[in-house]
Amino acid sequence: MIELRTPTEIEQMRPAGRFVAEVITALSQAADVGVNLLELDALAHEMIRARGAESCYIDYHPSFGASPFGKVLCTSVNDAVLHGLPHDYVLRDGDLLSVDFAASVDGWVSDSALSVVVGAPRPEDVRLIETTTRALEAGIAAAEAGRKIGDISAAIATVARGDGYTINTQFGGHGVGRTMHGDPHVPNDGRAGRGYPLRPGLVIAIEPWFLHGTDQIYTDRDGWTLRSADGSRGAHMEHTIAITEDGPLVLTSRN
Ligand code: MG
């Protein structure tokens, strides 16, 4: 079921968006060569406690998950691109790290993700992150009242294909509200002018993710982490946005 939020409810969703943005910023600043992924999870956990927020991940146990997630953050490194379960791993020079974080404040959820390189970046990783960032920006720009979900999908896909990347549509964006995952699905590829109409009050996460060499993924033995089939690296960028009469409002904006 797709729920539309009133302007008052969208105002009530702002604190969650601001908090998630603060955590993503803190994580991107803390991520460095020599830092353990478990330290990043602990940092996010401490920020949740200090804010009185609630983790959307720690008890998360969907049908595809082996057991409850148990952490408050996804950390996906190099050939891992989505749902990375934080584990005892120390970041190395040149690692490509994607963090994905969702939390609830005052009963409203926000969800955001960011990819960064720690240490000296490989040029191809910089390019992949830039493309993913531009795809997110294009998707957000298409999120105008009166248009359709397919316009967001097509905008994302046009950027990716233009830069030579292929697209996996197994995982994509989603409705966001009282819980982390709701309708509608927001695929990273689709046809402009098709799909659910974008009405004021619709709140969605838009989250392009691409891999260097493939669009195929597999699940790690940990039961969660999704890795590229060919070992190539991936990037992931996500914001939670509200469709308003005045255009897309980026609730998780870090500016
Ligand atoms: Mg997310």
Side-chain angles (χ1 to χ4, degrees):
M1 189 179 72
I2 293 170
E3 292 176 273
L4 299 178
R5 311 300 172 184
T6 65
T8 305
E9 287 174 321
I10 290 174
E11 282 305 307
Q12 291 168 354
M13 296 180 85
R14 282 180 182 268
R18 276 197 296 269
F19 173 66
V20 167
E22 282 166 24
V23 174
I24 292 281
T25 299
L27 291 165
S28 68
Q29 289 166 352
D32 205 350
V33 177
V35 171
N36 196 306
L37 298 180
L38 296 175
E39 294 174 64
L40 297 178
D41 182 67
L43 169 64
H45 213 153
E46 184 45 43
M47 290 182 78
I48 285 173
R49 267 189 224 107
R51 182 63 176 80
E54 258 181 70
S55 171
C56 296
Y57 290 174
I58 198 155
D59 297 322
Y60 187 58
H61 191 181
S63 54
F64 60 82
S67 55
F69 192 70
K71 304 290 182 194
V72 301
L73 178 69
C74 289
T75 54
S76 304
V77 180
N78 296 339
D79 67 311
V81 65
L82 295 177
H83 305 171
L85 182 65
H87 61 286
D88 183 12
Y89 174 83
V90 175
L91 289 166
R92 296 175 197 166
D93 189 37
D95 275 350
L96 199 176
L97 167 70
S98 302
V99 291
D100 191 348
F101 180 76
S104 171
V105 174
D106 304 333
W108 294 104
V109 170
S110 249
D111 189 358
S112 186
L114 174 73
S115 292
V116 292
V117 176
V118 299
R122 302 178 182 182
E124 67 264 32
D125 290 344
V126 173
R127 184 173 172 272
L128 178 63
I129 290 172
E130 278 174 1
T131 298
T132 313
T133 303
R134 264 192 292 115
L136 175 57
E137 289 166 356
I140 293 170
E144 296 272 359
R147 300 181 75 181
K148 302 280 176 67
I149 289 285
D151 291 306
I152 298 174
S153 305
I156 291 170
T158 298
V159 171
R161 289 217 181 82
D163 287 358
Y165 299 105
T166 54
I167 300 155
N168 175 310
T169 52
Q170 259 180 289
F171 296 92
H174 47 87
V176 176
R178 295 287 187 185
T179 59
M180 178 168 57
H181 288 140
D183 292 329
H185 180 51
V186 186
N188 288 328
D189 191 9
R191 291 175 65 184
R194 300 294 181 93
Y196 185 80
L198 302 176
R199 298 192 172 104
L202 183 68
V203 180
I204 51 175
I206 300 176
E207 50 176 320
W209 60 277
F210 310 119
L211 302 159
H212 276 302
T214 181
D215 53 18
Q216 297 301 304
I217 51 175
Y218 72 94
T219 306
D220 184 278
R221 275 170 305 185
D222 68 15
W224 289 100
T225 307
L226 297 176
R227 298 184 181 278
S228 69
D230 65 353
S232 64
R233 294 179 167 197
H236 179 208
M237 293 286 180
E238 176 180 23
H239 274 309
T240 296
I241 66 136
I243 312 287
T244 78
E245 301 280 6
D246 305 322
L249 170 66
V250 183
L251 292 165
T252 49
S253 173
R254 292 182 296 273
N255 303 325

